[in-house]
Amino acid sequence: MLDLLLLCLHFFLCFLITLSICRGPQDADLCSSSTGTVEAGPDGLVFIGKEDDIKRSQRATARVNGREIVVFYHEGKFHALDSRCYHEGGPLYRGEIEDINGHACIICPWHKYVITLDTGEGLYEGINPLEPSPTPQWQSKGVKQRVHEVTVDNGNVYVSPPDLSVSFDSDYFADKYKNSGDSAMEKQSSSEAAEEAASREQNLGEGSSEEPLS
């Protein structure tokens, strides 16, 4: 009798697991990104997703001409950038957004590089040793990350194809991860997690330090 009960319980658990897999997740994770297949929109624009969906999730990833980009919705505005950090290809779609020196910035989760959402400038905090009482101030490294123009039309979000006649530092990693596909991104997750853990340990060991200028 006990064996029969255990067998029934086993089949019931298998049924619940199968049902869960088939249904999939029902709620959007605000910190997650969703990579989707894009389609052409009006005037050569590339469709990214529904306006309400991106507002709800606050970010989404897609591929534009094979190029991996991330679209953020922050404080009533849409911003689109190459999704891989210009420094070493860190996944910006996993980063946190902070207000720094009056700019909304994405913080790369790998090495804490600071990039403005609106212009793609790299920011660093430095001091002028020639000043009598030097105090840290935020400075610009120049535009490092390629940004993409966002258009919202009839409830849909589009981006313009990149103008490749002008180059940016992030182009290197955009090309490296171009057409890598979802499976490749999943394979990267373990190495990204290790990279983030190593970065956290380094920060804890060194304490506060100035960001390199490169």
Side-chain angles (χ1 to χ4, degrees):
M1 183 65 181
L2 181 59
D3 291 341
L4 179 61
L5 182 60
L6 291 175
L7 183 62
C8 292
L9 181 60
H10 172 76
F11 281 112
F12 180 69
L13 290 174
C14 290
F15 171 76
L16 289 179
I17 293 173
T18 302
L19 182 62
S20 176
I21 293 175
C22 291
R23 291 185 62 186
Q26 300 299 310
D27 298 320
D29 183 351
L30 294 183
C31 295
S32 68
S33 59
S34 57
T35 303
T37 302
V38 298
E39 59 188 51
D43 300 324
L45 301 179
V46 181
F47 173 76
I48 300 301
K50 292 294 185 180
E51 179 181 5
D52 290 341
D53 292 340
I54 299 177
K55 283 182 176 180
R56 184 164 49 249
S57 63
Q58 297 184 8
R59 63 188 65 190
T61 61
R63 295 191 182 277
V64 177
N65 299 338
R67 188 187 196 96
E68 184 182 319
I69 70 164
V70 57
V71 176
F72 295 102
Y73 180 74
H74 179 70
E75 294 185 348
K77 295 181 179 180
F78 287 95
H79 306 274
L81 305 89
D82 285 348
S83 69
R84 293 288 171 170
C85 179
Y86 72 90
H87 174 227
E88 286 191 1
L92 296 183
Y93 54 85
R94 296 172 182 257
E96 298 294 330
I97 297 176
E98 296 182 13
D99 184 82
I100 296 177
N101 201 33
H103 295 277
C105 299
I106 184 69
I107 312 299
C108 180
W110 277 8
H111 304 108
K112 308 306 178 188
Y113 272 58
V114 179
I115 302 170
T116 61
L117 291 180
D118 54 350
T119 64
E121 286 181 274
L123 301 182
Y124 71 97
E125 195 172 27
I127 61 173
N128 184 355
L130 300 179
E131 293 180 356
S133 300
T135 56
Q137 293 183 345
W138 286 100
Q139 309 286 340
S140 173
K141 302 177 186 178
V143 177
K144 299 290 187 176
Q145 198 78 13
R146 183 183 290 275
V147 298
H148 303 265
E149 183 180 352
V150 180
T151 299
V152 180
D153 180 57
N154 198 27
N156 296 323
V157 177
Y158 304 89
V159 299
S160 300
D163 177 9
L164 299 181
S165 65
V166 181
S167 62
F168 297 90
D169 290 15
S170 65
D171 290 341
Y172 173 80
F173 291 101
D175 289 338
K176 180 178 179 179
Y177 290 99
K178 193 172 184 179
N179 296 318
S180 59
D182 294 345
S183 60
M185 292 175 66
E186 291 173 1
K187 291 178 182 178
Q188 294 160 15
S189 61
S190 59
S191 61
E192 289 172 358
E195 190 74 41
E196 291 178 25
S199 176
R200 285 195 297 269
E201 291 177 2
Q202 182 178 3
N203 290 337
L204 289 174
E206 297 178 355
S208 299
S209 60
E210 295 180 9
E211 190 181 354
L213 301 182
S214 59

